Amino acid sequence: MGILKKKTPREPQRLPTGTFTVDAQGHVVSSTVPQAVPPEVVQEIGEAVVSVFQGARKANVAFSEMTAQYATFKITAREMRGGAIIFLTTKAPRISIS
Amino acid sequence: MPKQHKILLLDDDEQLLELYQELLQQLPSQPEVRVCNSGARAIALLESEPFTLLITDLRMPKMDGLQVLAIVRRKYPYLRIIVLTGVLDEEYRSRAYALGVDMFWQKPSSTEEFTLFKDCIESLLDRDIAHETGFRGMQNKSLVDLIQLEALSQSSAVLLISQGGVSGKIWVEGGEIIDAAAATFTGEEAFKVILSWKGGNFEILPAEANRPRTIHKSAQGLLLDSAQALDEWRGQQAGAPAGSTTTILNLAPSNMSLAPLARFEGVEFLVTMPVDEKAGCESWGIENAHDVAEWARTAQKRLWQLGEKLGAGELTQVSGSGWQRHWALTADDKKGLLCAGFRRTLPTEKVEQTMKHIFAKWVS
């Protein structure tokens, strides 16, 4: 009988929380997001936010603040001289009862 | 000590700039004279430091003088402006004055003309425009006043009225309002839409010959009808229960597909994009709908993909606010994407709530 290795369930990836700033290219300048969050995840959020701000400027709908609401997550960002300050918060999902 | 005046000279001719700079620096008031050779550079200079007077040519590459005037007059109502052009064209002259310039000069070609020109500059610099009241761009007149003035003077012109990203036109011929256009509306409906705007900018453009007549009511009759409709709407607003979704003035014809959605409080524009990207978009109240649609699709896709990667759940709404307006973006798997713009004064919570109502109505 072989030794059975007990498989421990893998912890699902946590949603990042915290605040960080990015420059106009989406590169992270400063951050309070825990180091356990892969830096590429934070980078990707920053790049997505900056691209939304820049695209809006080109389309002549320029704005200074934006919020992206997901079922369990919220990204709030404020444009700052081409870059942005980004706030990440989690929220409990709404469960619909039918 | 009297303040030193600052003059900005704009012309694409470098030699002319040098010549006039030297001439103007010899004026008795000894103004500081700066030069630039492009409209974009002029606007950048005006933004960075205060000037007393702008002297601009009209015919320039890329951004012509009239475009510069349109931007500059709106942003700097107290800036004195002189057009100095080599081309004498009545249409340019009337458009320049309609844009609010102080003087329109053909480039002097003799010593006497130069002397006269310098005298005019000096007298213009001496005027204290900041304390003058009245009709520079008629900023202190309501739209009703403007239309009544045009009617009384029995003139012919085209009134171009803009509010934020939307503009409308009213055609006046011999003091009678003959046509109007705003967003997707024409005729009397467009006139009422324009009258419902609380503020904005206007220009008086030269009359258009042979414009077909679609409005047959008198100016006074149109104004009375619009005033009555606005009063009724205000009465509805006053009596509406708190927190309810109220309707704006029902100025949109009922056969316009987005008109029912535009009746929600505070809506300034709507753009809907079907799931099939090749199908184009529908819009209400916005001129650059395709640019907005393209941006909205890209933004929605990017943020949705981000959510998928993060495992954040469904992307329920994207919203934002700027100095001009709020906006919100939301998607349905079958219907597509809906982007709405709201007036700036609407509270953020109201924007989210109203967007949910609009979305619910759109998908139903």
Side-chain angles (χ1 to χ4, degrees), chain B residues 178-199:
Chain B
I178 62 166
D179 197 12
T184 50
F185 306 119
T186 56
E188 280 187 41
E189 294 299 335
F191 183 85
K192 289 175 187 174
V193 167
I194 295 169
L195 259 285
S196 72
W197 295 345
K198 288 179 186 162

Side-chain angles (χ1 to χ4, degrees), chain B residues 49-121:
Chain B
E49 46 190 307
F51 284 86
T52 319
L53 170 64
L54 167 68
I55 302 175
T56 175
D57 189 10
L58 284 185
R59 288 170 93 178
M60 290 180 291
K62 287 190 184 174
M63 194 189 283
D64 65 47
L66 289 174
Q67 288 174 303
V68 173
L69 291 177
I71 295 167
V72 162
R73 177 45 80 219
R74 193 168 49 241
K75 287 180 91 166
Y76 309 103
Y78 297 123
L79 178 69
R80 290 141 214 180
I81 304 178
I82 293 178
V83 166
L84 187 64
T85 175
V87 178
L88 257 193
D89 184 304
E90 266 317 300
E91 192 198 321
Y92 287 160
R93 182 196 291 272
S94 53
R95 283 179 69 186
Y97 277 116
L99 285 167
V101 304
D102 291 278
M103 290 185 197
F104 187 100
W105 269 82
Q106 190 179 14
K107 284 173 180 166
S109 55
S110 67
T111 316
E112 292 80 16
E113 283 178 8
F114 266 115
T115 309
L116 274 173
F117 180 64
K118 284 195 298 183
D119 287 344
C120 278
I121 303 277

